[in-house]
Each structure stands twice: as structure tokens, then as C-alpha cells.
Amino acid sequence: MGELTLGQYYPVDSVLHRLDPRVKFVGTIVYIVGLFQVRGVFGYLFAAAVLLLLIFLSKVPFRFILKSLKPVFFLLIITMLFNVLLTPGTVLWKWWILRITKEGLRQAVTMGLRLVFLVCGSSIMTLTTTPNALTDAMERLFSFLKIIRVPVHEIAMMMSIALRFIPILTEELDKIKKAQMARGADFESGGVIRRLKAMIPLLVPLFVSAFRRANDLAMAMEARCYHGGSGRTQMKPLRYRRRDAAAYILMAVFLGICIVFRITGL
Amino acid sequence: MPIIRAEHLGFDYVKFNDDNETEERVNAVKNVDLSVERGSFIAILGHNGSGKSTLAKQINALLIPTEGTMWVDGINTSEEQELWKVRQKAGMVFQNPDNQIIGTVVDEDVAFGPENLGIETEDIWLRVEDALKSVGMLGFRDRSPNRLSGGQKQRVAIAGVVAMHPDCIVLDEPTAMLDPNGRREVLEAVKELNRREHVTVILITHYMEEVVFADHVIVMDKGSIILQGTPREIFSQVETLKKYRLSVPQATELAYELRQSGCGLPEDILTSEELVEALCRLN
């Protein structure tokens, strides 16, 4: 338990870990955009090479990157299956209503690769950035939305408080569960409906306690002079360094190359 | 000039019904006069519902008195434009350590108050370091608060208040949820702050042992102050305290019982060391 359950931050010291979280956030988006530009074999090889280089630079063990694919495994299989079976084109193999086309195979492979690269690319960001730094980055990147009165600071504050309380509430849920089991509650047997119903005596006390905590926390924040984002300074403000500028330039180069691949169709 | 002064202070909790009409009015604090000198260590004793927490929250302007006036360093807490100044001058530490830590890293949490005050980044770093040092938690600055013990968390919470450079710290039952070890840690940290940094401390508690160190003790019951004085003066009145269902420190209790059965012990024994000495002198 603890922070391990939140996000999947892998604490080592690497170039990628030291980059400004804003750079990593923008970089992930740039990578995804670039990924959807390339089409040909060489384009995908290029995207794969960039990904491998990033993984190498991040010093995160390869299996941690693969682990991030687990939740999307079924999505991946289904996407590929549909693409193989439902794309019209030159038929290679046919049985009953099922047929495999050349175009379908091609499509399935490209979609599958895109999905794998996309998930791996974004997991490099979450593995090298603490959830808090990401929240900070998003607050700064989206601060332009303040013009149209989006409460950017407040949303970011809510996110970081949520991050802080997730482990506390998980622990509490565990405690409540044990307390109810001690009184004979049964969470394991019965059908889906019965099991869902058994959750009620867990959720009600959890919510009551969460509200009480929220009330206490609001009071503690006010006692420490919290009055929203205006006039607030930061202990660890985000500052761009030279390596961040270099990263932005490399991103532009990457995007340029991807566009070249798209135009030439390689 | 006293750092905290209250005159005829009263507070009513008002409960509204669905039509926004007053349904119930609970008089939590009534007619309290209070004067706290700068640099002193005050303890407020009382049962649950005696109004001690309500009184504490009025010092920090979390509650505004419905009757009478409260001054913190000469500022009337009812003046809305002075609200943040009052809260900076009188910091507050609450009972549950988990529910008052905002940051996901210890030093970021301590920085929360100074950040709200708009302190420059370099100054925040200095303040955080000093504050953590003053409660002996500097070695934990990069840790997650979730990994700390209750006493350590509470010391972080105290550091969070200290970093705001308050004149006075109000602690509302800071040890109620801690084990004996944590209780000792927190109490030591508070005493140290009072002794070394001359911060005025107002400690609210129902543990009699914690009151012994105070310069001045205030006993509350049903919203009013019923007894005031030095710990010795208060605890020599064992019978009065018992009438209000309050206990006395163990050593005092034992001395009282011995005196009842005819031992010639003095009335103002507070600690076991004093009791030992008095007993030895009997022979």
C-alpha cells in the first residue's frame, strides 16, 4: 500500500526524471501525435527506436513498461481481431463468414503497434514523474484557461488532496471491512447482486468518514491561511532549465521527421 | 500587552431547520474573560462539551464570537479584513494528524502555510528548515506523511504552524489520538518551542499529566471558566475537581488518599518525584 498504489512512479535518478514535468506532459502528447503520422515500415521502426531510446534513458526496467500493457491487453486483442476480420480487400483466407484480407492484416498490425507504443510512451511519463509534479505541470500548462474562468488552481488542489487521501481511505476501507467481518458480514459468497449489496455496509461508513475528514481538512487549511490561488507563492515552483529547452527542440525535430515520413509514405 | 485577551466572550451554535429558521441554540461558551501573557504556557482543561474547543477556535478566528470580543495581539477577531493576520498570529494544531496534513511530502506540507502567506521561495525554504528542526523532524523532510507514526505526523503539523512564524500556537487536544510514546514526543516538542523560541502555547487537553508543565491552568465546565491558577493551586483542590468529574495527576491522587487516611503530606504534590521526596521526609 502507500504511494505504490498511486500512479506507478519508479524512483531512480535519470535524465527523464530530472526533466520538468511540463516537458514530459507536452512530450507525451507530441509522441502520440507523431505516432499517428507515420505509416510505413520505416516510420514505425523510427517510432520504436525513439521509444526504446526513451526507455533506456529513463533507467526504468523494461518489465515495468511491459506491465503497463496489462490493463489494455484485452482491448489490444479485440482491436486486432476486429481489424483482421472486418476490413474489406484482397481475400487471403476464407471460412464461412470469416475472412482474412491482406489489408486487414496490415491494419491490425499498425493499430496494434500504435496502441502498444501509445501506452508505453505515456507510461514512461507516469513512471518518471510523481503524481504531484504532474498535477503541478497541468496547473501551469492549463493556467491560460483562467481567462474563461476555469478554476484551474482549485482543480489542481483537489487532485493533489485526492492523491494524498487515497491511501488513507484505502486503509480505512480495509479497517471497516474487517470490523464488518468480525460482526459476521459475508463479502465472498453469493451472486453479483448479493455481493454488491454486501458492499453497502462498507461504503456508507466510508463516505461518512470521508465527509468528516473533508470537513476537518477544510478547517485545517483555513487555519493555515489558505484562501485560494491568488497571492500564493510556491516552495518548489516549476522552472525551465537548459535541458528542458533542449528537450523541446528534440520534440520539434521528432515531429518534423514524423511528418516527413507521412509525406513520403515510408 | 497580553497576546490574547477576551472579554465577556460567548458563542452560540445555531442549528437551522429546512426553512432556515432557528431550531436550536446551544450556548457553547458563555461570559469568558481571558488574558494570556506573551511567552507563557497555558493549559485549558475540561470534559468533552465543556466549550474548550469552541474557545480555541475563536482564538484562531475560525469561529467569530457571537457575544463579547476577542483580541489577538490587539486585533479584534471580528474584523473581517484582519482575518488572515489573526490566523497567521495564532496558529492552530488539531486532534487528528491525518486530517490536517495537506502535502504529500513532509517539507511541502510544512510549506503550505508560508505559501498561502505569499512568502518568497527562498524564504520558504529557510522557514521550512527551521520549523522542521525545531520539532526534530528535519531528517524526515523527503518522506511521505503516510509513512510516519502518529507522533511524528503531529510534529509535522506543529512545524507547519511554526513555519508561519506565529506569536501563539493553539493545540486542540493534539495528543488525544496518540500512543504514550507519541504523546511524549509531541509534548516535548511543544515545551521546547515555548522554552526556546518563546512562542505562547495554549494547550487544550484532558490528560492531567500534560497540564503539570503549564504556567497557568484554566478549567472549563459547561462553557464557563470554573477554576484558574497555577497547576499547584488547581490540583490542591482535589475535591472541587472531583465534583466536576475531573481527575488529578496520579501522584496528586495518591498523596490525597494518603492525606485522607492521616499521613501528613503537603497539598501541592504534582509529580511522582515530589511525592517520593515528601514521603521520605515523613520518616
Side-chain angles (χ1 to χ4, degrees):
Chain A
M1 280 294 148
E3 302 99 297
L4 281 176
T5 48
L6 323 167
Q8 27 178 347
Y9 182 64
Y10 186 84
V12 284
D13 188 33
S14 79
V15 192
L16 288 194
H17 282 76
R18 267 174 278 151
L19 278 182
D20 189 287
R22 283 172 291 181
V23 173
K24 287 185 264 188
F25 191 81
V26 173
T28 309
I29 291 166
V30 166
Y31 184 74
I32 292 169
V33 171
L35 200 57
F36 280 84
Q37 303 306 318
V38 297
R39 288 175 173 176
V41 180
F42 288 105
Y44 277 100
L45 279 177
F46 173 63
V50 170
L51 190 67
L52 285 175
L53 179 70
L54 288 174
I55 294 171
F56 173 73
L57 285 177
S58 73
K59 291 188 188 164
V60 177
F62 198 65
R63 63 194 161 90
F64 276 87
I65 311 268
L66 289 181
K67 235 196 218 164
S68 64
L69 284 172
K70 226 163 77 183
V72 290
F73 187 69
F74 276 101
L75 185 73
L76 186 67
I77 296 291
I78 289 168
T79 317
M80 288 179 76
L81 216 63
F82 271 88
N83 272 305
V84 166
L85 297 176
L86 299 176
T87 316
T90 340
V91 178
L92 293 176
W93 176 84
K94 200 173 163 187
W95 178 75
W96 192 39
I97 53 163
L98 301 174
R99 57 173 181 198
I100 293 173
T101 62
K102 196 175 158 198
E103 285 77 9
L105 272 180
R106 202 186 140 81
Q107 188 85 354
V109 171
T110 50
M111 286 307 277
L113 278 177
R114 265 184 197 168
L115 199 62
V116 169
F117 286 0
L118 192 149
V119 172
C120 289
S122 40
S123 72
I124 291 177
M125 172 178 75
T126 49
L127 281 162
T128 58
T129 321
T130 58
N132 247 22
L134 263 184
T135 315
D136 253 13
M138 283 197 256
E139 179 178 352
R140 289 286 289 272
L141 284 172
F142 294 113
S143 63
F144 66 90
L145 289 175
K146 276 183 197 151
I147 302 166
I148 52 164
R149 300 200 167 187
V150 177
V152 181
H153 166 78
E154 282 74 9
I155 292 171
M157 180 57 82
M158 277 160 60
M159 279 169 66
S160 62
I161 288 174
L163 286 172
R164 153 129 173 79
F165 275 87
I166 286 169
I168 294 177
L169 291 178
T170 349
E171 207 173 285
E172 182 135 8
L173 183 68
D174 202 47
K175 237 186 254 172
I176 297 169
K177 191 173 179 184
K178 279 182 185 139
Q180 304 289 37
M181 277 159 81
R183 297 174 200 171
D186 179 11
F187 299 110
E188 260 100 50
S189 64
V192 180
I193 305 279
R194 243 192 89 174
R195 277 196 209 190
L196 280 178
K197 269 190 181 160
M199 295 297 280
I200 294 172
L202 291 186
L203 293 181
V204 173
L206 187 70
F207 269 85
V208 171
S209 137
F211 278 116
R212 203 179 42 233
R213 281 180 193 281
N215 197 19
D216 279 5
L217 188 74
M219 181 122 66
M221 286 170 77
E222 274 195 30
R224 284 163 80 181
C225 292
Y226 181 69
H227 50 278
S230 63
R232 207 164 180 270
T233 48
Q234 276 184 301
M235 183 196 194
K236 298 171 182 169
L238 294 175
R239 280 195 194 121
Y240 280 131
R241 284 164 210 283
R242 207 173 289 159
R243 57 170 171 263
D244 299 311
Y248 274 128
I249 293 168
L250 286 175
M251 267 179 233
V253 172
F254 170 79
L255 204 59
I257 295 174
C258 286
I259 290 168
V260 169
F261 274 119
R262 184 191 175 89
I263 293 165
T264 56
L266 279 167
Chain B
M1 188 179 63
I3 178 87
I4 287 158
R5 196 157 65 87
E7 259 173 33
H8 310 295
L9 200 70
F11 188 83
D12 292 346
Y13 280 106
V14 184
K15 200 172 156 190
F16 295 103
N17 62 11
D18 296 339
D19 305 321
N20 229 9
E21 289 158 359
T22 311
E23 190 183 280
E24 212 184 326
R25 203 170 253 279
V26 183
N27 194 207
V29 169
K30 47 199 164 200
N31 205 14
V32 165
D33 291 311
L34 188 72
S35 175
V36 177
E37 286 306 319
R38 211 175 269 275
S40 55
F41 191 130
I42 306 286
I44 302 180
L45 265 178
H47 270 296
N48 291 340
S50 63
K52 53 191 189 336
S53 279
T54 312
L55 179 64
K57 281 174 191 153
Q58 295 189 64
I59 298 173
N60 188 256
L62 284 171
L63 296 175
I64 304 299
T66 49
E67 257 171 79
T69 325
M70 167 77 81
W71 290 275
V72 174
D73 200 20
I75 304 169
N76 186 339
T77 60
S78 307
E79 281 171 36
E80 220 168 290
Q81 66 271 26
E82 306 281 10
L83 185 68
W84 306 113
K85 225 189 245 173
V86 170
R87 290 190 181 158
Q88 182 267 317
K89 283 179 186 295
M92 186 139 183
V93 176
F94 298 87
Q95 188 183 88
N96 188 331
D98 275 329
N99 296 357
Q100 54 183 321
I101 292 179
I102 295 111
T104 33
V105 184
V106 166
D107 63 358
E108 281 173 21
D109 180 71
V110 176
F112 183 75
E115 285 177 343
N116 290 332
L117 295 174
I119 309 292
E120 292 303 317
T121 301
E122 292 76 36
D123 278 346
I124 294 180
W125 281 87
L126 294 177
R127 281 181 178 218
V128 167
E129 201 167 315
D130 283 346
L132 281 171
K133 213 184 276 168
S134 72
V135 295
M137 289 293 289
L138 194 58
F140 296 83
R141 65 181 305 162
D142 296 323
R143 299 279 191 91
S144 154
N146 295 330
R147 298 268 169 90
L148 303 179
S149 73
Q152 289 172 330
K153 280 186 216 169
Q154 204 61 300
R155 273 149 69 199
V156 170
I158 293 172
V161 171
V162 170
M164 293 170 75
H165 290 182
D167 295 321
C168 161
I169 300 181
V170 183
L171 301 110
D172 189 358
E173 301 199 31
T175 59
M177 301 184 76
L178 307 180
D179 57 12
N181 266 334
R183 219 146 73 201
R184 205 170 312 128
E185 275 171 32
V186 169
L187 217 58
E188 277 311 314
V190 171
K191 274 195 280 180
E192 196 70 355
L193 275 178
N194 177 253
R195 197 164 42 213
R196 210 179 290 163
E197 329 248 324
H198 307 290
V199 184
T200 315
V201 172
I202 298 180
L203 177 70
I204 294 170
T205 183
H206 53 241
Y207 289 109
M208 301 300 145
E209 278 75 11
E210 295 178 0
V211 174
V212 175
F213 318 105
D215 301 320
H216 193 78
V217 181
I218 293 167
V219 184
M220 288 187 73
D221 191 63
K222 296 192 183 118
S224 317
I225 294 178
I226 49 164
L227 281 177
Q228 264 197 76
T230 62
R232 271 177 220 288
E233 284 163 13
I234 299 293
F235 291 124
S236 57
Q237 308 175 46
V238 177
E239 266 123 60
T240 325
L241 286 173
K242 290 213 160 158
K243 204 173 77 199
Y244 291 107
R245 292 169 295 123
L246 287 163
S247 62
V248 293
Q250 257 179 4
T252 315
E253 172 97 43
L254 181 58
Y256 170 77
E257 295 291 338
L258 287 170
R259 208 164 46 241
Q260 291 294 301
S261 39
C263 266
L265 287 169
E267 275 191 339
D268 59 352
I269 287 170
L270 291 182
T271 61
S272 38
E273 285 82 23
E274 286 171 7
L275 180 63
V276 169
E277 207 171 295
L279 283 171
C280 290
R281 220 174 281 153
L282 273 184
N283 293 327

